[in-house]
Amino acid sequence: MTAHSGSRQRTIAVVHRADSDTSHLVLPDWMNGQITVPIPTATLTAATGLGRDQLPEPS
């Protein structure tokens, strides 16, 4: 991905699983969805407005 001054690109992220501390997001458009990104669950719920009970359970 190339960064361009003054422009933004959006990347779709899908919550793969979320536990009480860490959630894992999948980036489906990058490397055929093989990229996962760990993020604190508290940050995810604050940014999305979703409750912990609305996120997928760990498998």
Side-chain angles (χ1 to χ4, degrees):
M1 184 165 82
T2 304
H4 298 282
S5 178
S7 66
R8 291 184 174 186
Q9 289 185 323
R10 289 185 180 234
T11 298
I12 294 172
V14 178
V15 179
H16 176 64
R17 68 176 186 253
D19 64 26
S20 59
D21 297 317
T22 305
S23 296
H24 293 269
L25 305 180
V26 173
L27 306 176
D29 292 340
W30 291 22
M31 301 295 293
N32 296 317
Q34 298 301 309
I35 303 287
T36 61
V37 180
I39 183 172
T41 300
T43 300
L44 179 63
T45 56
T48 63
L50 296 173
R52 170 63 192 91
D53 60 330
Q54 296 173 287
L55 301 174
E57 293 291 327
S59 49

